[in-house]
Structure formats: C-alpha cells, structure tokens
Amino acid sequence: MSILARFEGMAEFLFTGAFKKGAGRLQPVEIAKELVKAMLKNKQVSISQVYVPNIYRVYLHSSDWGPIASFGDVFLIELSKYLFAEAERNGYTFLTKPAIELHADETVEPREMVVEVDFDDSIDVDWGEEENGNYASNASNWRESTTFFRESVKTNLPLEDRPGRNPDYFLEIIEGPDKGQKVSLQDADVVIGRHGQCDLVLHDPEVSRRHMKLASGENGWWLDDLGSTNGSFVNGQRITHQTAAPGDRIQIGQSVLVIQKSL
C-alpha cells in the first residue's frame, strides 16, 4: 500500500512526534489535497485534450518542511503518482509525469503553503522500480538525479563570475524599487520575481513570487508570464507569451526592465 493511501489511517502513528507534539503542524495529506486543487485550477483546454501542469513547487515554513523532508524522495514520488492517478481519473493529460518540489521558505507562515505550477515537456521523472512494496534505491535519482527538498538559498555572484553568461547583453531595471540592478543574459532561462530562488529577485510588492520568465530565442528573447497576479507588459501591452528585443520596455508591477547591449 502506498504512503499516501495510508496517510489518512496512519497519520497518528507516522507523525506523532513530528506533528502532534508540534501544535498541529501541516499534515502531508494536506499537501496532496492542495496539489490536486492547484492541478484542477490551472488546467488548459486544447482542441482535443485538457492539459494540467506537470511541475509543482510547494513552499513551506521550515517547521513544516523539516519533518516532511525526512521522508526523502519516496514521498515526492508518492505525490507524483497520486497526482497522475487523479488526472487520469478526470481524463486530464500531463506533458510528462508530474514533478514535485518541496522548498523551505521563511516567508510562508506555519501550516500554510504556496503552490506554484508550470508546464515543461523537457522534464523526465523516474518513479523507479518497486520491490516487495518498497522503492528501489534508484528512486531517489529521478529528474536528473536532483533532490527537490530544498531550503531557500540565493546566490549573488557577480555577472562576470556566473558560468555560461553572455557578456553582450544584460537586463537592466530602469524604474522601480530595484532601479539600477542588472543581470547578464544567457541561453538558459532567467526567472524574475520576488522569491529568493529567482535569477533576478525584485523587491517590488506588486511583483509575484515567480512573475515572468525570459529565454533567448533565434531572433531575440521570449517572455512568458508565469501566471502572475498583476500581469506582464511589453511596450504598454499585456502579454502572456511575447518576443522582446533590446530597447523594449518590459513592465511588471512598478518595475520597468530593458534589454541592453554592453558597450
């Protein structure tokens, strides 16, 4: 029997020390339920399919994150299987098997959680093999051998020290609380938002935690609004998926950003 299937009946046993004595900390089964809500809320209808997000980032207070993290990747795999079964039951389609990330974040209140979703067809989730009801040791190597129990850490490296950065272009904030801040552009995606794990962190209260993603393309850059509350704008027009070129005014919240070329 899977972990999630036993949560309702065995929560008293499994989490007596971790939750019962901790003034009612968040129960793992509550995470599963919130993931299903996020999946249903963010479904996208195409011509012949109803697609649901396959990336789920869950941010928890450290007091909730710590006890859950002790279960390791087996818990993330159980969550992935649980979401997959719920989507199948509703006739929904994933781009890939769902990938779950759990992060510790002190900006989230205890017993609360923030769930962010995304669509990414490049993700490869390995559920591993099951032997006698237990997951084999390679189950922890799913999605490029990366663990997804993370504490929030932001690395502030100088532009010239960041590997793979393209020195010819950079993104500069010309208006807003972070005016003057710059980030060099590269082939990889640049995620912009208030969360400490974004590539460009803004202190603009009108900017979402993960607000927008910028990625290089053949003829410039692609901008994707990541389901932000207040929207993203290019030259005054609200966008969801839009190309941008040097000199375009990219506005999110109170902040205006421009792609510049180094002299």
Side-chain angles (χ1 to χ4, degrees), residues 65-116:
W65 177 87
I68 295 173
S70 66
F71 281 90
D73 287 348
V74 66
F75 176 56
L76 302 182
I77 295 173
E78 286 291 347
L79 287 174
S80 177
K81 289 187 173 185
Y82 181 74
L83 272 183
F84 191 89
E86 285 297 304
E88 190 173 55
R89 185 173 64 85
N90 285 279
Y92 300 151
T93 302
F94 286 109
L95 296 178
T96 67
K97 294 176 182 176
I100 318 297
E101 305 175 13
L102 266 66
H103 304 267
D105 187 338
E106 295 304 316
T107 65
V108 179
E109 294 295 324
R111 280 203 53 80
E112 294 185 359
M113 71 184 85
V114 174
V115 180
E116 297 176 346

Side-chain angles (χ1 to χ4, degrees), residues 197-247:
Q197 288 185 328
C198 291
D199 300 293
L200 179 58
V201 179
L202 303 183
H203 300 89
D204 186 335
E206 296 182 14
V207 169
S208 296
R209 295 162 62 84
R210 295 180 74 257
H211 195 110
M212 184 174 66
K213 180 172 66 176
L214 182 149
S216 62
E218 293 183 1
N219 299 312
W221 289 268
W222 281 103
L223 300 177
D224 286 287
D225 183 90
L226 299 177
S228 66
T229 301
N230 295 317
S232 301
F233 300 81
V234 175
N235 298 327
Q237 300 295 317
R238 185 161 184 163
I239 63 98
T240 54
H241 186 62
Q242 173 74 33
T243 55

